[in-house]
Amino acid sequence: RGAARAGRGGAVLIGHAGAVTRYDPRAGRLVSVAHPGTVTASTRDGDVIALGAGAIVTLWFPRLVPAATYDRPLDVAAPTVSADARTLAWSVGAAVELRALDHGGVRAVPIAARRIGVDDRAVAVIDAADQVVTIALAGAATPRALGAAAPGARSVVPTATGALVIERDDTVRHLPGHGACVGALVALDPAAGAALLRVDGRLLRCAAATGAVVALDVELSADAQVAVSADGRRTIILDHGALRALDAAGGAAAAPVELAAPTTALALSPDGRLVAVLGPRGVSVVEPARGVVTALPGSSGATAIAIAPDGARVAAFVGGRLLEWSTVDPRWPRTLGQVPATPGPALVLGPD
């Protein structure tokens, strides 16, 4: 028995005898947490719930972390979400915790992590002793040791054969391997274990495992933004308002598309077919192959952008709200919830 409250997204919140339960009829999932307070606020889908008890407010993320975890200070560091938004990896004390966001499964691996990177297959970790290991997401495979990173390495990214390690001076190395890529790092291509560099105003592609370099016929300014699609087949360059698409060999895949400058961020669909660009008047979606540019209504003032894995949706933080547009019919954005203003927010869209 207790007071029930329905969210617009279909989830039902029930308060009863010192506990709160969230029921999602679409997934048939029931999650409860012991809490002496009441539900004070929630997002429209019930995925973030504020529970009040006197002057204390607890945030509950039913699909992510049990609310009881938030009853004490969290020793959490290096949170990283995979590009498909299915896996969250973070360091909790002396362990790396892997959370499956689609079904709630949790796996803890006893490694004291200093840096973490994750994709849809594996997690790469630089531990406290600067050793690099990878952990397969499927099954319970033993962590694979790859070798030592340079002291102070600032990030790590898993690849099909190991991991890319980015050092403090932008040098990129692949473990295992004996090569190094040296230059101003502009993008990574984990699918190929490669780094894209700017050297003397030119774009270079470097195989990190061997250090072999190929010069691409592209001039690049210091302000250029470069991104590689998840499948490695498209490289997108945004430089002084001109958007260019390159194929896997570095040749032009389409005619340049002119956009309003300055642009501050871009996001690619996994196949590189669509590009979301954050510009002075908001978010635009570009289809380079056709030269089509679609401005998203209501996106002025956006601070972060993302594209769903299937390219069907684009989302952005706008004025404290998280908005989502369909790339098929973007005329009417959908509000997913309220988001507290934070500096440099990050956003990842999952398949659902």
Side-chain angles (χ1 to χ4, degrees):
R1 294 183 180 181
R5 150 180 191 173
R8 284 177 289 173
V12 179
L13 306 178
I14 305 169
H16 53 99
V20 176
T21 295
R22 177 188 185 275
Y23 173 61
D24 185 348
R26 295 167 300 180
R29 187 164 181 258
L30 195 72
V31 182
S32 296
V33 60
H35 195 275
T38 58
V39 177
T40 60
S42 67
T43 55
R44 62 181 294 169
D45 54 8
D47 278 352
V48 183
I49 301 166
L51 304 173
I56 305 299
V57 175
T58 298
L59 289 181
W60 180 25
F61 298 75
R63 294 181 59 195
L64 186 59
V65 181
T69 305
Y70 288 88
D71 293 341
R72 59 179 173 79
L74 285 178
D75 180 18
V76 169
T80 307
V81 181
S82 61
D84 61 4
R86 293 185 183 275
T87 304
L88 168 69
W90 57 18
S91 172
V92 183
V96 173
E97 193 169 85
L98 309 178
R99 291 185 171 268
L101 302 184
D102 51 356
H103 59 75
V106 181
R107 175 184 170 196
V109 182
I111 298 175
R114 189 173 62 78
R115 293 287 186 269
I116 299 174
V118 59
D119 64 12
D120 58 352
R121 298 171 295 98
V123 175
V125 175
I126 301 177
D127 69 14
D130 289 319
Q131 296 297 307
V132 180
V133 300
T134 55
I135 306 163
L137 293 178
T142 302
R144 175 190 175 201
L146 301 180
R154 59 185 177 88
S155 60
V156 62
V157 178
T159 69
T161 56
L164 292 171
V165 177
I166 297 87
E167 300 177 359
R168 285 181 293 184
D169 63 354
D170 270 1
T171 296
V172 179
R173 301 181 188 277
H174 189 278
L175 294 177
H178 57 273
C181 299
V182 180
L185 177 64
V186 294
L188 294 173
D189 181 1
L196 276 69
L197 312 170
R198 187 184 66 252
V199 177
D200 296 330
R202 310 294 296 182
L203 182 63
L204 306 182
R205 183 181 182 85
C206 173
T210 63
V213 174
V214 175
L216 305 181
D217 188 22
V218 176
E219 293 184 358
L220 212 60
S221 76
D223 299 324
Q225 300 171 67
V226 182
V228 181
S229 62
D231 62 9
R233 296 182 179 180
R234 286 288 182 270
T235 297
I236 300 298
I237 302 170
L238 194 52
D239 200 358
H240 294 304
L243 187 148
R244 288 175 287 176
L246 307 181
D247 58 24
V257 178
E258 296 295 328
L259 301 171
T263 53
T264 55
L266 72 160
L268 277 62
S269 60
D271 59 4
R273 184 179 63 85
L274 296 177
V275 184
V277 178
L278 182 54
R281 292 189 288 272
V283 181
S284 298
V285 176
V286 183
E287 191 174 349
R290 299 173 56 211
V292 175
V293 180
T294 304
L296 299 185
S299 63
S300 178
T303 55
I305 53 178
I307 295 184
D310 60 1
R313 297 170 292 124
V314 174
F317 291 130
V318 183
R321 295 179 300 156
L322 178 58
L323 300 183
E324 180 186 74
W325 294 261
S326 163
T327 55
V328 177
D329 183 4
R331 291 175 297 172
W332 311 108
R334 185 165 70 107
T335 301
L336 300 182
Q338 300 294 316
V339 181
T342 58
L347 179 61
V348 177
L349 276 182
D352 56 357

